[in-house]
Amino acid sequence: MSGMTVKIFFPSCCSLADSGLLIGRWIPEQNSAVVLAVLHFPFIPGHVKRYLADIRKVSQVDLCVLGTWSNNKDEKEEELQQFLGDLSSIFSHDLWVQLRREKDSKFVSCHILKDSVVEGDSSILIYYDQRKAMLSLFHSSEKQLAAGDHEALPSMSAPSSELRAVFDTVAQSEVLFVRDKYDDGPIKLTHWQSEGREGSIIVELSKRAAVPVCMFLSMFLSLLAGICESRLLRLWPLPFLWGKLSTCQQLGHRLDQLKHLCSNTRAQGHIEFMRKANILVSLFLDVTLGLLLMSWLYQKNRIGQLADTLIPVADHVARELQDLLQWLMGVPAGLKMNRALDQVLGRFFLYHIHLWISYIHLMSPFIEMILWYVGLSACLGLTVALSILSDIIALLTFHIYCFYVYGARLYCLKIYGLSSLWRLFRGKKWNVLRQRVDSCSYDLDQLFIGTLLFTILLFLLPTTALYYLVFTMLRLLVVLVQGLIHLLVDLILCLPLYSVGLRLCRSYRLAAGVKFHVLEQQAGKPLRLLMQFNPLSYGRVVHTYRLPTYCCYPKDSWASLCKKLFVGELIYPWKQKTEKQD
């Protein structure tokens, strides 16, 4: 053991404790001793050994008596030091640590004995905050995050195996911190909770009140889920409509979160607890914002004002679309269009606008009542109100979607027709079975008909392409607005507000590592260090604890999107996160 450096982790809360025994764990492979508590006089050695044996069975930590602690305020200091030295024969150990508070100093002197002989090896005394070490959770390194090892994120992983063992020891010794120096009994300890167990009467009352509330909510949610899964609600086209409406998907997602939050099973592990806490805070914030929105809507008759504004806005949009179609039916931007096809398409779309305006004016007497009941849905949360807004936008712009589908189908038909006829000129054809282009011989009639059709489609393409371009831009504008709403809903649903608040108020709870500060370094004395925590960055907190959502994300890449726009395929840019990419 020559040249060995012994590291002693000493809790700063014990620096003012009365003299006694050092209770902790010796880690031989790391040459480290983790002090957990100070056991005070008077005590009976047999009771101490029995108590430590009971603690070892419960905590699965090999606790033992590491040495003695001496405080200079005790009288008869020399006799006490001799008595403390004699205790090493009762509590036998490979190394016996003697810590002593220096006079007129805040630091602690350290002596290490082996076989009752003072060792000359160096020692490092590391002060640590026991409360923070008990409540902290270390996270994986940036390299593990970059490698995608998300399953290992909540595990206890410190910069080295030594620190991992130290903090595992403190975390697993929770049962030791139940007893304090004021308890009745033969064992009196000083540790981070020695002045009484840390707690809050509000928290304890909330825990007790949460049990019947969760039971009632669990029964109500089970009944509601049973109604939603009934056969009557599975009849077509109800499942199809529920799959298309954002409001139904949002309500289903919140129902799943409430069932998970009110389940009778206790949270297993840190990640599960953090997920439930984040869901609870997210629900609270969502409902609070929804109630604020509802109170704003129902003040000063804003619902009526909104209903009175909706019809003129719809008429204005319809007039703008009519003016746009009239412009396309003329000579748009000086382009020479096919007159017959231009008139047919323009009148076809104008008739659709006329039907849509008639429908809006037919519904105008009921719009205020509909908006009044829609406003009540804000009490379920701001995300529900935003989902309803997205569905209303989809319904109000349904004619634009129809225009886009008509134009895209017609344009796509001409593009594929031109590409097929172009292969005909080159003596090629598309083999459907082999999914490839093969050589083929055509007779003169086929080439003549192909040339005629190719010419017709080619000269009609600019007119069709112009209508397709205009309505595609309108469709993309609507999709952009809905995408912003989905982004806001996704932000509210997935943002781990509890974890962010924990990082803001108690940064040590989510730690990314530790750092050491040198307190004193003198020749002939142990090196004294202070261990502090490096908090997890806010970006990693959000990345680690973000909640899963139902919301959609872009289905296609930019290259795939441009390709679909060029060939006229229909654009459905949103894809559910639960689905798999084709």
Side-chain angles (χ1 to χ4, degrees), residues 103-173:
K103 292 183 179 180
D104 302 327
S105 175
K106 61 181 180 180
F107 295 114
V108 176
S109 63
C110 176
H111 298 283
I112 301 176
L113 284 72
K114 180 174 177 58
D115 298 331
S116 301
V117 178
V118 178
E119 290 284 326
D121 298 324
S122 61
S123 60
I124 300 176
L125 189 62
I126 302 174
Y127 294 88
Y128 72 97
D129 191 321
Q130 197 172 58
R131 176 176 178 269
K132 293 182 178 180
M134 177 69 192
L135 301 176
S136 295
L137 182 81
F138 281 87
H139 293 69
S140 301
S141 62
E142 294 287 349
K143 294 182 179 179
Q144 289 175 304
L145 278 176
D149 187 13
H150 303 295
E151 297 297 330
L153 287 176
S155 62
M156 292 291 293
S157 58
S160 67
S161 58
E162 176 181 353
L163 290 178
R164 186 183 304 115
V166 169
F167 287 97
D168 279 342
T169 300
V170 179
Q172 296 172 7
S173 303

Side-chain angles (χ1 to χ4, degrees), residues 251-317:
L251 291 175
H253 179 72
R254 280 306 191 192
L255 180 61
D256 293 337
Q257 284 188 334
L258 284 173
K259 290 169 63 177
H260 178 75
L261 190 63
C262 300
S263 61
N264 296 327
T265 58
R266 189 176 181 180
Q268 300 295 328
H270 173 77
I271 282 292
E272 185 67 19
F273 169 77
M274 294 294 285
R275 182 183 178 186
K276 286 192 173 184
N278 287 321
I279 290 175
L280 181 61
V281 175
S282 176
L283 282 170
F284 177 76
L285 178 66
D286 190 16
V287 173
T288 302
L289 294 176
L291 292 176
L292 291 176
L293 176 63
M294 187 174 67
S295 64
W296 180 83
L297 286 175
Y298 287 95
Q299 288 178 357
K300 300 179 181 180
N301 195 27
R302 288 191 174 93
I303 293 289
Q305 297 174 7
L306 184 61
D308 295 336
T309 307
L310 189 60
I311 299 300
V313 169
D315 290 337
H316 177 72
V317 172

Side-chain angles (χ1 to χ4, degrees), residues 511-524:
V514 296
K515 56 185 176 182
F516 297 94
H517 292 284
V518 178
L519 297 178
E520 186 182 39
Q521 186 176 11
Q522 296 181 7

Side-chain angles (χ1 to χ4, degrees), residues 479-490:
V479 167
L480 178 62
V481 174
Q482 288 184 307
L484 293 176
I485 296 176
H486 289 169
L487 183 63
L488 182 57
V489 172
D490 186 74

Side-chain angles (χ1 to χ4, degrees), residues 521-568:
Q521 186 176 11
Q522 296 181 7
K525 291 186 177 181
L527 176 63
R528 298 177 175 91
L529 303 176
L530 176 63
M531 185 174 68
Q532 294 181 337
F533 296 87
N534 289 324
L536 205 64
S537 64
Y538 285 100
R540 286 190 60 190
V541 169
V542 174
H543 179 77
T544 303
Y545 296 105
R546 69 187 308 270
L547 294 171
T549 65
Y550 81 97
C551 286
C552 308
Y553 65 95
K555 179 179 179 180
D556 302 307
S557 62
W558 285 107
S560 178
L561 179 63
C562 293
K563 179 182 177 182
K564 287 186 175 182
L565 289 174
F566 179 76
V567 299

